[in-house]
Amino acid sequence: MWAMEIGVGWISNAGHATQTKALHWFSSMLAGIFMCRIVYGLTGVISASFVKEYGKLNSKQKLEWNNRGFSTFHAIVAASISLYLLLASGLFDDSQDELMINKSSILSDTILGVSIGYFLSDLAMIFYYYPALGGTEYVIHHGLSMYSIIQSLLSGQAHIYILMVLFTEITTPFVNLRWYLDVAGLKNSKLYVYNGVALFLGWLVARVILFVFFFYHMFTYFDQVKQVYPMGFYSLLIVPPAMAIMNLFWFWKIARGMIKTLGKARHSQ
């Protein structure tokens, strides 16, 4: 019995994951899966009715078009709620009652559960149609994201850091719009150029500068970070740096693409 309690304490915050909370998390996850299925279908219906280029796409392109529809929807919802919880809700304000690292709410639990549903849905499609919807880097990204979110839900700890990372999804609509314009034959349009610049700036702020602040915040509150249960603590030291490296790699590719696009735009004038 003693050994079991030590093991549970190493991988989770014992006593936090009650039956009621587990039901809430599971319901939120199902809601996320249902959301993806509904938006996937609506994307196809709306695009077929209002986007003439959609009818010219082959079946694989339509599949990815619809898939990017629900990834865009999730990104907007997740980033908006994360921003609200981080800056406007007062949830993570300094107080003597509870440590910042242990703060969570029904809304933060809900959006994390919904995001698990999204990542599961997207990952299922990636595996089923592999590699049409993304390669190994997407599998790693989604796997690390779910691993971190699940730990945070089970422990009730580090929600502030999970929400910071979840906010980085705000760049996804720009990535998807770039793909939409490309397959629609609008790669030489001004909108493609403007979106490329917006993607570069958005990625710089949300996935590079924000991660610098993320690590600074962890360093500043390291006395609280050390109170996270062992597996969660070591994950905070390993997973964010790994994701930061991936973000820097993608940022390098985005910067190269933007420079190339701007160069073409100048020559076409």
Side-chain angles (χ1 to χ4, degrees):
M1 179 65 72
W2 179 80
M4 183 179 296
E5 289 177 356
I6 294 294
V8 170
W10 199 85
I11 63 174
S12 68
N13 188 16
H16 177 76
T18 64
Q19 186 174 359
T20 301
K21 285 183 178 292
L23 181 60
H24 179 210
W25 301 333
F26 184 70
S27 300
S28 299
M29 182 192 70
L30 290 181
I33 295 173
F34 184 70
M35 173 195 75
C36 291
R37 181 64 187 91
I38 293 297
V39 176
Y40 179 91
L42 286 175
T43 301
V45 172
I46 294 173
S47 299
S49 302
F50 298 101
V51 183
K52 62 180 181 180
E53 289 81 4
Y54 184 80
K56 303 175 184 178
L57 303 179
N58 58 44
S59 58
K60 289 185 177 180
Q61 288 175 323
K62 287 181 178 179
L63 173 75
E64 185 167 357
W65 183 290
N66 298 345
N67 174 272
R68 288 178 182 270
F70 74 71
S71 75
T72 298
F73 186 82
H74 166 263
I76 294 172
V77 172
S80 299
I81 294 177
S82 295
L83 187 64
Y84 165 75
L85 287 168
L86 289 167
L87 299 181
S89 69
L91 175 61
F92 300 106
D93 290 348
D94 288 333
S95 68
Q96 302 297 323
D97 299 331
E98 188 177 12
L99 295 177
M100 173 273 301
I101 201 71
N102 293 329
K103 290 183 177 181
S104 63
S105 69
I106 293 176
L107 182 56
S108 67
D109 277 1
T110 300
I111 191 57
L112 294 187
V114 168
S115 292
I116 289 176
Y118 158 71
F119 285 121
L120 281 174
S121 300
D122 200 34
L123 200 56
M125 291 191 68
I126 288 173
F127 279 132
Y128 190 80
Y129 296 103
Y130 193 85
L133 296 177
T136 306
E137 67 275 14
Y138 286 93
V139 175
I140 294 173
H141 174 270
H142 285 19
L144 288 176
S145 297
M146 286 193 298
Y147 168 78
S148 302
I149 292 173
I150 289 171
Q151 284 201 86
S152 189
L153 281 175
L154 290 175
S155 67
Q157 296 179 309
H159 276 220
I160 186 171
Y161 296 122
I162 300 298
L163 291 170
M164 282 187 194
V165 176
L166 200 55
F167 174 73
T168 64
E169 289 292 307
I170 194 63
T171 59
T172 299
F174 300 107
V175 175
N176 288 342
L177 180 57
R178 184 181 185 180
W179 184 88
Y180 284 139
L181 293 172
D182 187 8
V183 297
L186 299 173
K187 198 171 182 177
N188 295 320
S189 66
K190 289 184 177 180
L191 180 57
Y192 187 88
V193 175
Y194 296 151
N195 180 71
V197 174
L199 173 59
F200 172 82
L201 294 175
W203 201 280
L204 175 64
V205 173
R207 291 185 182 260
V208 178
I209 295 176
L210 179 59
F211 264 84
V212 174
F213 174 77
F214 180 101
F215 295 127
Y216 169 78
H217 193 279
M218 275 188 60
F219 177 78
T220 303
Y221 289 90
F222 199 67
D223 58 325
Q224 294 192 34
V225 173
K226 288 188 295 185
Q227 297 188 41
V228 174
Y229 68 100
M231 183 177 286
F233 172 72
Y234 292 115
S235 296
L236 277 171
L237 299 182
I238 296 172
V239 175
M243 298 190 77
I245 291 172
M246 286 192 292
N247 285 335
L248 286 173
F249 171 72
W250 285 327
F251 182 64
W252 173 70
K253 295 181 69 174
I254 289 168
R256 288 184 60 190
M258 184 190 70
I259 293 171
K260 184 177 180 181
T261 299
L262 290 175
K264 287 183 178 180
R266 290 195 189 96
H267 288 305
S268 65
Q269 290 178 350

